[in-house]
Amino acid sequence: AIAYTCAVLAGRNSRQMGLQKYIGRLKELNRLHRRHSAFWVGLYGQLWVGAMEFWADLAHDLMRLKPSKLPYFRKGLRAMSLIQSAL
């Protein structure tokens, strides 16, 4: 119950900060309800940050290869740091 509550609170916090679009799809066409719950967003946000830390060297190499995409990479890195601070 404690782990569930922590994940839901982290997911709600990520949604309020506007970070859900980096973690998962917001909504699909012709779909009435959200695709993912606050619980899922909280859990997957933690996994996303862990994966980015694991693959950091590869991600930085990719950023060097595509300098025209650097503003998008920076937005993603900022989102990751905000998710880390929320945890």
Side-chain angles (χ1 to χ4, degrees), residues 6-86:
C6 290
V8 169
L9 292 176
R12 286 182 184 169
N13 193 17
S14 296
R15 274 195 186 148
Q16 288 174 350
M17 296 172 92
L19 302 173
Q20 184 181 4
K21 63 184 174 184
Y22 294 102
I23 298 171
R25 285 188 221 164
L26 296 177
K27 202 171 177 185
E28 294 175 340
L29 294 174
N30 300 325
R31 190 178 181 114
L32 299 177
H33 304 289
R34 290 183 184 210
R35 181 176 174 91
H36 300 295
S37 65
F39 172 71
W40 187 91
V41 171
L43 284 182
Y44 198 72
Q46 293 173 358
L47 291 174
W48 186 66
V49 169
M52 279 298 291
E53 289 173 353
F54 184 75
W55 296 104
D57 296 334
L58 186 62
H60 288 294
D61 290 342
L62 176 66
M63 287 182 217
R64 276 188 238 119
L65 287 174
K66 298 287 186 177
S68 63
K69 304 289 184 185
L70 194 58
Y72 301 110
F73 292 137
R74 285 191 180 140
K75 286 170 81 175
L77 291 174
R78 182 175 182 278
M80 186 179 69
S81 67
L82 289 173
I83 291 170
Q84 283 176 329
S85 69

